[in-house]
Amino acid sequence: MNWALIGVGNIAELFMQSLIWVEEVNVVAAYGRNKERLHRFCDRWGIQNRYTDYTALYEQNDIEVVYLATPHIVHYRHAVSALEHGKHVLCEKPMAMSREETRMLSEAARQNDVFLMEAMWTRFFPANIWLQKFTESGRFGRPLNVNAEFSFAYPYDPDYRFFRKDLGGGCMRSAGIYPLAYASMIFGCVPCRISAFGEMRNGVDVRTTAILQFPGEHGRTAQLYTGFQGQSQCMANIAFEKGNVLIPDFIHPSRVIVTDLDGHREEMLFPYEGPGLHYEIRHAMECIRAGHKESEIMPLEESIEIAGITDLIYQELEKAKGNEVN
């Protein structure tokens, strides 16, 4: 299957490194704004066709699938153009900057009869596939609470895209999508109530905490934390009616710790090789070969709803602008 890369940065490097574990992927073209960086990347990976105009790349007829690895501020324009050119698209998260943009991308995919999926690589790791099946099995009863956090220390630079609103900056979209998508995976529905608090700097959030309440008899909940300040353990802890599941390094987990109400503890190992993007790449190819236009594991409607929750979290943060730090 012939692929093209839009973007030649760090994520694109991980994509190429992951192809060792995926059969029948042929990267035939790449796009990058910086010509020097584009040529270095393509020389390193043996990619023949190189473009500084992404629409020209989309006109290359032998390209079947496009992987979008550009900053999320430009995802919409890059993705909608690919879809309109009849290309299948695997798009890095977040797929777009709002619920409405995400909805329009989903509609564009349907209108052009092509596959589209948000590249939520976390969801496709064996440990997280196991967790989804475990939750559905009801062995520990219903999930009641998800506590998930992902933050890392990044030096403040008002010119870097993390800290610039005009470049899609802010930790909730860049990093907070991981714990948010995890809660969505566990509960499988949209929260009915959202509260959010954060620290703002240069017009973007540098730390955010969100508390979500999901519909149900006992008001199921999630506490999510993300930020560019301070290093978290990157853990997810799920409280069920009959026990607890702890997932260290939940973004790319290799183990799961299960504890029942009697205190019996079981640790299960799910080793993997390489960066780990090969699971989502393989899944996308299976869907495309089967003629599916979206993934059952990461459906488009869920991507739309996650984007909508993110919009609401940012609305909550806007109400508390007094927390802005100069």
mmCIF file of all heavy atoms in Angstrom, residues 38 59 68 90 142 194 208-209 241 247 299 303 307 318:
data_model
loop_
_atom_site.group_PDB
_atom_site.id
_atom_site.type_symbol
_atom_site.label_atom_id
_atom_site.label_comp_id
_atom_site.label_asym_id
_atom_site.label_seq_id
_atom_site.Cartn_x
_atom_site.Cartn_y
_atom_site.Cartn_z
ATOM 1 N N LEU A 38 13.302 18.636 4.619
ATOM 2 C CA LEU A 38 12.594 17.652 3.803
ATOM 3 C C LEU A 38 13.585 16.733 3.102
ATOM 4 O O LEU A 38 13.435 15.503 3.128
ATOM 5 C CB LEU A 38 11.717 18.383 2.781
ATOM 6 C CG LEU A 38 11.045 17.524 1.712
ATOM 7 C CD1 LEU A 38 10.029 16.582 2.323
ATOM 8 C CD2 LEU A 38 10.384 18.419 0.653
ATOM 9 N N GLU A 59 -1.859 15.184 -5.825
ATOM 10 C CA GLU A 59 -2.149 14.899 -7.233
ATOM 11 C C GLU A 59 -1.317 13.732 -7.769
ATOM 12 O O GLU A 59 -1.531 13.298 -8.904
ATOM 13 C CB GLU A 59 -1.925 16.165 -8.058
ATOM 14 C CG GLU A 59 -3.028 17.199 -7.824
ATOM 15 C CD GLU A 59 -2.666 18.589 -8.299
ATOM 16 O OE1 GLU A 59 -1.600 18.739 -8.946
ATOM 17 O OE2 GLU A 59 -3.442 19.523 -8.018
ATOM 18 N N LEU A 68 -0.862 12.277 8.304
ATOM 19 C CA LEU A 68 -0.663 13.681 8.651
ATOM 20 C C LEU A 68 0.102 13.784 9.956
ATOM 21 O O LEU A 68 -0.401 13.399 11.017
ATOM 22 C CB LEU A 68 -2.005 14.399 8.796
ATOM 23 C CG LEU A 68 -2.807 14.655 7.520
ATOM 24 C CD1 LEU A 68 -4.028 15.502 7.845
ATOM 25 C CD2 LEU A 68 -1.972 15.337 6.461
ATOM 26 N N LEU A 90 -4.848 8.974 7.724
ATOM 27 C CA LEU A 90 -4.580 8.707 9.132
ATOM 28 C C LEU A 90 -3.982 9.995 9.682
ATOM 29 O O LEU A 90 -2.885 10.400 9.291
ATOM 30 C CB LEU A 90 -3.588 7.542 9.276
ATOM 31 C CG LEU A 90 -3.144 7.172 10.700
ATOM 32 C CD1 LEU A 90 -4.323 6.733 11.555
ATOM 33 C CD2 LEU A 90 -2.060 6.093 10.666
ATOM 34 N N ARG A 142 -19.157 -2.403 36.715
ATOM 35 C CA ARG A 142 -19.065 -1.188 35.910
ATOM 36 C C ARG A 142 -17.875 -0.319 36.321
ATOM 37 O O ARG A 142 -17.538 -0.260 37.499
ATOM 38 C CB ARG A 142 -20.343 -0.354 36.083
ATOM 39 C CG ARG A 142 -21.598 -1.033 35.547
ATOM 40 C CD ARG A 142 -22.831 -0.211 35.859
ATOM 41 N NE ARG A 142 -22.878 0.131 37.280
ATOM 42 C CZ ARG A 142 -23.176 1.324 37.766
ATOM 43 N NH1 ARG A 142 -23.434 2.321 36.958
ATOM 44 N NH2 ARG A 142 -23.223 1.535 39.072
ATOM 45 N N ILE A 194 -19.059 19.192 33.051
ATOM 46 C CA ILE A 194 -17.620 19.425 32.927
ATOM 47 C C ILE A 194 -17.220 20.626 33.775
ATOM 48 O O ILE A 194 -17.858 21.678 33.704
ATOM 49 C CB ILE A 194 -17.226 19.702 31.457
ATOM 50 C CG1 ILE A 194 -17.516 18.479 30.578
ATOM 51 C CG2 ILE A 194 -15.748 20.079 31.333
ATOM 52 C CD1 ILE A 194 -17.370 18.749 29.095
ATOM 53 N N THR A 208 -3.721 22.167 33.180
ATOM 54 C CA THR A 208 -5.185 22.071 33.207
ATOM 55 C C THR A 208 -5.623 20.827 33.961
ATOM 56 O O THR A 208 -5.075 19.741 33.762
ATOM 57 C CB THR A 208 -5.764 22.037 31.778
ATOM 58 O OG1 THR A 208 -5.527 23.292 31.145
ATOM 59 C CG2 THR A 208 -7.259 21.773 31.789
ATOM 60 N N THR A 209 -6.620 21.009 34.808
ATOM 61 C CA THR A 209 -7.311 19.908 35.469
ATOM 62 C C THR A 209 -8.764 19.951 35.035
ATOM 63 O O THR A 209 -9.390 21.013 35.053
ATOM 64 C CB THR A 209 -7.242 20.044 37.004
ATOM 65 O OG1 THR A 209 -5.876 19.948 37.419
ATOM 66 C CG2 THR A 209 -8.045 18.948 37.687
ATOM 67 N N GLU A 241 -16.543 -1.385 40.169
ATOM 68 C CA GLU A 241 -17.362 -1.788 41.313
ATOM 69 C C GLU A 241 -16.690 -2.901 42.126
ATOM 70 O O GLU A 241 -16.824 -2.951 43.349
ATOM 71 C CB GLU A 241 -18.725 -2.283 40.823
ATOM 72 C CG GLU A 241 -19.615 -1.195 40.243
ATOM 73 C CD GLU A 241 -20.892 -1.764 39.666
ATOM 74 O OE1 GLU A 241 -20.811 -2.677 38.809
ATOM 75 O OE2 GLU A 241 -21.973 -1.300 40.065
ATOM 76 N N ILE A 247 -2.792 1.349 35.189
ATOM 77 C CA ILE A 247 -2.010 1.239 33.957
ATOM 78 C C ILE A 247 -0.878 2.250 34.004
ATOM 79 O O ILE A 247 -1.077 3.433 33.717
ATOM 80 C CB ILE A 247 -2.866 1.453 32.694
ATOM 81 C CG1 ILE A 247 -4.064 0.506 32.672
ATOM 82 C CG2 ILE A 247 -2.032 1.206 31.433
ATOM 83 C CD1 ILE A 247 -5.311 1.122 33.220
ATOM 84 N N PRO A 299 -13.710 5.333 16.330
ATOM 85 C CA PRO A 299 -14.703 5.807 15.356
ATOM 86 C C PRO A 299 -14.721 7.329 15.236
ATOM 87 O O PRO A 299 -14.335 8.053 16.158
ATOM 88 C CB PRO A 299 -16.028 5.274 15.917
ATOM 89 C CG PRO A 299 -15.774 5.057 17.372
ATOM 90 C CD PRO A 299 -14.328 4.721 17.509
ATOM 91 N N SER A 303 -14.199 10.786 17.840
ATOM 92 C CA SER A 303 -13.264 11.894 17.618
ATOM 93 C C SER A 303 -13.995 13.231 17.673
ATOM 94 O O SER A 303 -13.483 14.213 18.230
ATOM 95 C CB SER A 303 -12.556 11.734 16.263
ATOM 96 O OG SER A 303 -11.679 10.637 16.276
ATOM 97 N N ALA A 307 -13.353 16.147 20.566
ATOM 98 C CA ALA A 307 -13.085 17.542 20.185
ATOM 99 C C ALA A 307 -14.093 18.479 20.843
ATOM 100 O O ALA A 307 -13.742 19.587 21.280
ATOM 101 C CB ALA A 307 -13.130 17.683 18.670
ATOM 102 N N GLU A 318 -11.700 29.802 29.839
ATOM 103 C CA GLU A 318 -11.895 31.207 29.473
ATOM 104 C C GLU A 318 -12.610 31.966 30.575
ATOM 105 O O GLU A 318 -12.361 33.140 30.800
ATOM 106 C CB GLU A 318 -12.698 31.298 28.163
ATOM 107 C CG GLU A 318 -11.886 31.037 26.912
ATOM 108 C CD GLU A 318 -10.873 32.132 26.622
ATOM 109 O OE1 GLU A 318 -11.232 33.322 26.735
ATOM 110 O OE2 GLU A 318 -9.721 31.807 26.294
#
